[in-house]
Amino acid sequence: MESLLDILNKVDSVVWGPFLLIPLLLGTGLWLTARLKGLQFRKMIVAFRHGLIDPNDPTGEGDISNYQALTTALAATVGVGNIVGVATALALGGPGALFWMWVTGLVGMASKYTEAFLGVRFREEDSTGHMLGGPMKYLKKGIGGKLGGGLSLAFGIFAVIASFGIGNLTQANAVATAMNDAFGMDTHATGALMFFLIGMVLLGGIETIGKVTSAFVPLMIIIYILGASIVLIVNAGDIPGAFALIFHDAFTGSAAVGGFAGSSLLLALQLGVARGIFSNESGMGSAAIAAAAAQTNHPVRQGLVSMTQTFIDTIVVVTFTGLTIITTGTWTMGASEAGSMTAEAFSRGLPGNWGGTIVSISTMFFAFSTIVGWAYYGERCLIALVGMHGSLPYRMLFTCVVFIGAISEIQIAWVLADVANGLMAIPNLIGLLLLSGFVAKETKDYLDFDPKLRETPTSVAEFNARHIPEWS
């Protein structure tokens, strides 16, 4: 196993190195931001209003509401990466890594919009009448030819693999660890409980997943942010210094402090981007699969709703985690303590054992929700690859792997998750670049017609008939 781990670490260093994914991710996000004329900044308020306040599009085709599609995507992204991932980035890359996570999130909003737009634009019904969409569809149908087919195939394979890494083994292990830390619960018991709960949710399909995530995802985020807010209030005097440290170290690297060994600018950049994409998944294409299931009258509408997910994940949740770690000084504990860094930061700001308990419970819910979201992603990708007969075997295997992840030591799974994340992002990012002109034109056409997303379903239907008659 050590030799396999060494091989995976080498592959990981290449995939997430300075010459492949980092420039591709940032470059794609910047290019799409330019092509869409800063859409994520111009339309952010409209996007939040439409996703959280406006009535849904009941006349639009789809399986779940646009809000449920948003919370399903949030369920898959707001996970262990928001707690352990941020701590790891700060432990190895220093406070400057948080700046590069912000950059990844802000430019990633354009990537998230584009992939969600395409997910809806090229979706189709499967044999059961449910929507099937995402990179495995828009790469094949939008680009076409051998290139589109090859990119689609590559994405589907890597996404199925990733679903067992980022979406299962690592998350199940995090839940089991959190339950043991908070309540002394045996990992086998946790594994059995998760086996039962995940199985019950997956039996209900996307409709049940949408209902589950829409109910508890907002609650779990609010509880976590309230706990972090108390820590920041206690350490309010250190917040200005924390921001100064973040911006300074983002461009110079970090000097050694306490147990922290120091880092270079390149390391801060590399870890910030890698942990940022691990957290918000912008550019990976996964959220487009959930967006494709949304009831919506036009792809622009769901694209705007979906891009708010990256803002919530990275600019809100990741920022609260990072600031609590920096203001309390726990970022200097050392890389070996990254797993307990956030809990220690909360413990220094909250009375008694509340800090560790809140982090443990948050980890448990964040990780559980990620498992649910990624189960849907992996299943839809496998269906695109082999057809509907792959659905039931996937659900059964996925549920069994949850138990394995809960009871096992899975250091290798974290590296595998990183590699699979990167490999599934590459074909998707290439597709986003190739289809950027198409997305920019249709986005401009629709927003010229409906800039505030206030048009009635009838008016939107008439617009669609004139501009994109082939869209269904």
Side-chain angles (χ1 to χ4, degrees):
M1 292 295 285
E2 289 184 1
S3 60
L4 177 59
L5 183 60
D6 290 340
I7 293 171
L8 286 174
N9 277 320
K10 290 179 180 177
V11 174
D12 187 49
S13 66
V14 173
V15 171
W16 288 103
F19 305 110
L20 187 55
L21 257 183
I22 289 179
L24 185 58
L25 278 165
L26 293 179
T28 301
L30 289 169
W31 174 255
L32 292 172
T33 297
R35 290 301 304 263
L36 295 168
K37 299 180 180 179
L39 180 75
Q40 67 266 48
F41 308 112
R42 293 188 293 115
K43 296 296 181 180
M44 189 180 299
I45 294 176
V46 171
F48 271 105
R49 190 209 71 225
H50 185 63
L52 303 178
I53 300 174
D54 286 353
N56 294 310
D57 292 337
T59 60
E61 294 185 357
D63 306 319
I64 55 178
S65 70
N66 55 22
Y67 172 72
Q68 289 176 331
L70 170 63
T71 56
T72 298
L74 271 173
T77 54
V78 179
V80 177
N82 295 78
I83 298 177
V84 180
V86 176
T88 301
L90 296 178
L92 295 173
L98 184 59
F99 173 84
W100 294 110
M101 294 183 82
W102 290 337
V103 171
T104 303
L106 289 173
V107 301
M109 290 178 70
S111 302
K112 186 63 65 73
Y113 167 83
T114 302
E115 58 195 18
F117 174 99
L118 292 169
V120 175
R121 183 66 172 80
F122 291 101
R123 66 185 179 180
E124 59 189 36
E125 285 191 1
D126 64 22
S127 59
T128 66
H130 291 88
M131 288 297 174
L132 179 62
M136 59 283 191
K137 288 298 178 183
Y138 62 69
L139 293 173
K140 185 175 182 179
K141 296 170 67 177
I143 298 173
K146 292 183 178 179
L147 176 60
L151 292 173
S152 171
L153 178 64
F155 175 85
I157 292 172
F158 291 132
V160 172
I161 295 172
S163 72
F164 288 99
I166 181 179
N168 193 321
L169 286 168
T170 57
Q171 309 295 333
N173 188 261
V175 173
T177 301
M179 290 290 284
N180 184 262
D181 291 342
F183 309 110
M185 190 169 179
D186 181 75
T187 56
H188 288 78
T190 301
L193 178 62
M194 291 175 63
F195 176 90
F196 173 76
L197 292 175
I198 294 294
M200 291 296 293
V201 172
L202 296 190
L203 282 176
I206 184 58
E207 291 86 356
T208 300
I209 292 173
K211 291 177 182 177
V212 169
T213 57
S214 65
F216 80 83
V217 166
L219 179 62
M220 74 181 191
I221 292 176
I222 290 171
I223 291 173
Y224 181 75
I225 288 177
L226 284 176
S229 297
I230 296 173
V231 177
L232 292 177
I233 291 171
V234 171
N235 296 279
D238 295 314
I239 293 177
F243 276 105
L245 193 62
I246 291 166
F247 286 104
H248 176 271
D249 290 359
F251 300 99
T252 62
S254 303
V257 179
F260 177 69
S263 72
S264 64
L265 165 61
L266 182 60
L267 189 59
L269 171 61
Q270 180 177 351
L271 286 162
V273 174
R275 294 299 100 187
I277 195 66
F278 184 88
S279 175
N280 62 50
E281 299 179 13
S282 294
M284 285 177 58
S286 50
I289 302 170
Q295 292 174 342
T296 185
N297 293 310
H298 195 279
V300 166
R301 291 182 168 224
Q302 187 56 40
L304 289 172
V305 172
S306 293
M307 81 177 187
T308 64
Q309 172 229 321
T310 298
F311 185 91
I312 294 169
D313 177 276
T314 305
I315 308 304
V316 178
V317 181
V318 163
T319 298
F320 272 92
T321 300
L323 287 178
T324 58
I325 291 173
I326 295 170
T327 56
T328 57
T330 58
W331 68 277
T332 64
M333 289 171 58
S336 62
E337 300 296 326
S340 59
M341 198 176 286
T342 306
E344 177 62 24
F346 272 63
S347 295
R348 293 183 185 184
L350 295 171
N353 296 321
W354 275 103
T357 301
I358 287 178
V359 172
S360 293
I361 293 175
S362 296
T363 300
M364 177 180 66
F365 279 108
F366 284 8
F368 183 85
S369 70
T370 300
I371 294 171
V372 171
W374 267 93
Y376 177 69
Y377 292 166
E379 179 188 1
R380 302 312 280 173
C381 287
L382 188 63
I383 288 172
L385 290 171
V386 303
M388 285 303 301
H389 59 271
S391 175
L392 183 58
Y394 176 87
R395 293 184 187 186
M396 294 173 63
L397 178 60
F398 191 91
T399 306
C400 292
V401 172
V402 167
F403 180 80
I404 295 172
I407 66 173
S408 304
E409 293 291 334
I410 52 162
Q411 180 185 4
I412 196 171
W414 283 100
V415 184
L416 180 62
D418 251 1
V419 172
N421 286 357
L423 292 177
M424 70 181 281
I426 291 172
N428 183 61
L429 291 168
I430 293 172
L432 298 187
L433 290 171
L434 293 175
L435 293 169
S436 60
F438 170 81
V439 175
K441 181 184 182 302
E442 291 209 350
T443 297
K444 181 181 183 303
D445 288 345
Y446 185 79
L447 290 178
D448 285 346
F449 157 73
D450 186 15
K452 297 186 182 298
L453 307 187
R454 294 290 198 188
E455 290 292 335
T456 64
T458 300
S459 297
V460 175
E462 292 174 352
F463 173 87
N464 291 342
R466 293 195 308 271
H467 288 80
I468 43 176
E470 74 277 15
W471 183 62
S472 59

